[in-house]
Amino acid sequence: MEGIALLEEPIDQAYIDTPNLDGALLLAEVLSCRREDLLDWGNQPLSPEDHARFKALLDRRRSGECVAYILGHKEFWGLTFIVNPQVLVPRPDTETLVEAALAYLDSLEAQSPRPGETLLEPGPQRRPLRVLDLCTGSGAIAVSLKHERPLLSVAAADISAAALEVAAANAERLLEAHTGGITFYESDLLAGVPGTFDMIVTNPPYIPSDHIVSLAPETQGEPHIALDGGEEGLDLVEGIISQGRTRLEEGGIIFLEADPSQMEDIAALFRKYGYGDLRLYQALSGSERVISARWGGGA
């Protein structure tokens, strides 16, 4: 296939390690079909117009632009999210955070005081559980949690107004109107977010500043403000852990994604600030991508 051959050629701008997948996704975009439907397409020739468009998309990929930005969307948690260069591309490892948060919510459900009663649903003497997604980017985490548990009260924050526009568009597209949607805040971590929360979820910038230049070209094309975690990669992580103490309800919990090599240091930060009940969660790759810790009554 011409597209795969082009993507396999040695080029200076990018090393493309998935030429078959990338070529198929771009061809499916040109033909307005699913990637699975390409099997039925066989070796039929493309029209001159489709061939020219396909070649233009391949050239963009060969220049180092990631497939998700070229297509304008990315699958995450079974949902299709709008993405553009204002937001990080949602990655499969982040689904580990969503899965861990949902499992925690299920464990709360199991503690429901009366059969048939849900702790997620507000009652005469109860409020809905409140969840905050910090550094929300495309809104993938917040929208996925709200999609799975519509009764949650979900807020999301990001320092980037442009990213929040993307997140709000995704929430509007992917959530039913009766769920009540998500409240968005333009905020430097928790500074501009009101209220307290039962759960904070976050995939913050955690790449050390001097490591960014060594990232793959397509990753370097993502917003650096969403990548750069400071000298050791933990500046924002520590800020979230520190600020979370005053914004979590007693026994509230943080779920935080980071690089597996940072987990020991992050655990030390949680302990430094008085959190307890630390737990690690493995991605499908087997690496420890998510850590959780409880504040106050759960410590």
Side-chain angles (χ1 to χ4, degrees), residues 103-184:
Y104 173 75
L105 292 172
D106 288 342
S107 74
L108 293 183
E109 288 290 271
Q111 301 169 26
S112 182
R114 292 184 294 276
E117 183 180 77
T118 170
L119 292 177
L120 301 185
E121 185 175 7
Q125 297 181 337
R126 289 195 315 277
R127 57 169 177 74
L129 289 178
R130 293 190 291 249
V131 177
L132 172 64
D133 176 22
L134 279 178
C135 309
T136 192
S138 67
I141 297 171
V143 170
S144 297
L145 290 175
K146 184 69 172 177
H147 186 270
E148 293 294 324
R149 301 291 187 273
L151 297 176
L152 287 175
S153 173
V154 179
D158 202 288
I159 197 172
S160 166
L164 288 172
E165 289 184 10
V166 177
N170 280 319
E172 183 176 358
R173 288 176 56 253
L174 297 172
L175 297 176
E176 299 289 341
H178 65 80
T179 65
I182 294 170
T183 304
F184 293 96

Side-chain angles (χ1 to χ4, degrees), residues 262-278:
Q262 298 171 318
M263 288 301 167
E264 186 174 339
D265 290 335
I266 294 173
L269 286 172
F270 273 122
R271 295 188 183 100
K272 170 185 173 182
Y273 287 101
Y275 292 76
D277 192 19
L278 275 63

Side-chain angles (χ1 to χ4, degrees), residues 178-193:
H178 65 80
T179 65
I182 294 170
T183 304
F184 293 96
Y185 298 97
E186 184 178 348
S187 175
D188 184 356
L189 298 185
L190 284 149
V193 181

Side-chain angles (χ1 to χ4, degrees), residues 33 37 93 103 190 209 230 254 290:
C33 70
D37 296 333
D93 278 351
L190 284 149
S209 301
I254 291 180
V290 174

Side-chain angles (χ1 to χ4, degrees), residues 20 61 117 156 213 291:
N20 289 276
R61 181 68 188 100
E117 183 180 77
V213 294
I291 184 170

Side-chain angles (χ1 to χ4, degrees), residues 220-243:
Q220 290 191 47
E222 298 183 69
H224 283 204
I225 194 173
L227 297 170
D228 192 342
E231 184 177 358
E232 301 296 328
L234 299 177
D235 287 2
L236 280 89
V237 170
E238 183 166 9
I240 291 167
I241 292 171
S242 174
Q243 294 176 30

